[in-house]
Amino acid sequence: MTAVISLGGSFLFDKKEETSSLFKELKSINDKFLIVTGGGPIAREYIDFGKNFNLREKDLHGIGIKCTHVNAWIMSKAFKTDYTAVDPRKIRIKNRITLTGGYLPGWTTDTCAAYAAVSTRSKVIFNMSKENGVYDKDPRKFRDVQLLKKVNFERLYSLTKGKRVPGMNFIFDPLAAKICKKNGIKIVVTSDVNDIKKYLKNQEINGTVIE
Ligand code: UTP
């Protein structure tokens, strides 16, 4: 079985120890994993840098894509895994763990993860986030927020309205969620690396399941 992981750039940069634990955890599980890394704060900073030189929107997205690949490549070197830059809609994975980044301008790495889940026949995407899961309100704006254990796609869309601009930041990209809904792929949003093994063993997890 293959599972896809959308490794958000915010997780990567905010939670370095947990990132090491994540790879250790994945190596102890007997499934194949395709990991799509996000761009994180570096991508947003670089996109702002590009704006100083009046790059067009497509090229600003291009900066973001390159950042996601630098992150994927660094992780592949650090944890001795495969790395690829092929179209996620055509991706095939050979070895246990493969890393990749973004692909087309205007997408996000969540979109790549969704397409990769379709092409590898994965039933689930683990969205590793710096947030513990999906909340009823934006935790960056409100204090009295509640973590939701289960969310349906309609509720997710209502929580993720926003503009598709370079460097955009969603809990899980609603465009990617549409691909998942259409193909019966579930999404687990979590900051807890142990949730992967737990979910695959049908145990209760700490994060949120979107289905
Ligand atoms: P992401 O939005 O995927 O990275 O890509 P992130 O912000 O680290 O992800 P999360 O939210 O933490 O999970 C960064 C930017 O790169 C461009 C977009 O502009 C995006 O906002 N990008 C990325 C693309 O244009 N196409 C891709 O396939 C991937």
Side-chain angles (χ1 to χ4, degrees):
M1 195 207 78
T2 302
V4 173
I5 299 175
S6 184
L7 184 55
S10 55
F11 184 92
L12 211 55
F13 282 83
D14 274 31
K15 294 178 172 274
K16 297 186 189 73
E17 270 176 36
E18 287 85 346
T19 298
S20 297
S21 311
L22 171 73
F23 280 91
K24 205 170 158 199
E25 178 82 1
L26 296 182
K27 288 188 178 179
S28 77
I29 304 173
N30 223 356
D31 290 304
K32 284 184 177 175
F33 292 97
L34 178 76
I35 309 175
V36 191
T37 50
I42 294 266
R44 277 179 276 278
E45 200 177 324
Y46 239 146
I47 287 167
D48 282 342
F49 175 69
K51 283 180 186 165
N52 291 312
F53 302 97
N54 299 321
L55 263 70
R56 32 183 204 158
E57 187 155 288
K58 181 173 172 247
D59 296 330
L60 294 174
H61 284 305
I63 296 175
I65 296 172
K66 290 202 184 298
C67 292
T68 65
H69 278 278
V70 173
N71 291 339
W73 188 83
I74 294 172
M75 290 300 116
S76 78
K77 291 296 159 199
F79 300 104
K80 299 185 173 55
T81 70
D82 286 359
Y83 162 80
T84 179
V86 306
D87 185 336
R89 294 166 297 190
K90 295 182 187 143
I91 218 158
R92 297 277 175 276
I93 53 171
K94 293 190 204 100
N95 295 320
R96 288 279 317 287
I97 303 175
T98 304
L99 276 136
T100 193
Y103 193 70
L104 278 191
W107 285 4
T108 60
T109 42
D110 288 343
T111 313
C112 295
Y115 280 124
V118 177
S119 56
T120 59
R121 299 208 171 96
S122 306
K123 293 270 158 271
V124 60
I125 295 174
F126 295 97
N127 187 59
M128 299 309 297
S129 165
K130 86 174 177 213
E131 305 297 346
N132 297 332
V134 180
Y135 295 91
D136 58 345
K137 284 180 258 177
D138 188 341
R140 290 168 299 186
K141 291 185 194 148
F142 300 92
R143 273 215 191 148
D144 59 330
V145 291
Q146 263 189 338
L147 190 125
L148 306 165
K149 284 270 136 204
K150 274 197 180 166
V151 172
N152 63 27
F153 284 99
E154 276 62 37
R155 179 92 191 257
L156 180 79
Y157 300 146
S158 73
L159 291 167
T160 52
K161 279 184 204 136
K163 272 195 170 169
R164 302 195 67 79
V165 294
M168 56 205 140
N169 203 223
F170 299 110
I171 319 162
F172 191 79
D173 181 351
L175 181 68
K178 286 208 171 84
I179 301 165
C180 293
K181 185 181 181 203
K182 192 174 155 210
N183 290 282
I185 296 161
K186 292 182 186 177
I187 304 152
V188 172
V189 180
T190 183
S191 62
D192 182 354
V193 299
N194 298 314
D195 271 357
I196 297 178
K197 199 180 258 172
K198 284 188 190 157
Y199 180 88
L200 295 173
K201 284 183 174 174
N202 283 325
Q203 292 168 357
E204 199 185 328
I205 60 163
N206 289 316
T208 304
V209 180
I210 306 168
E211 58 185 2

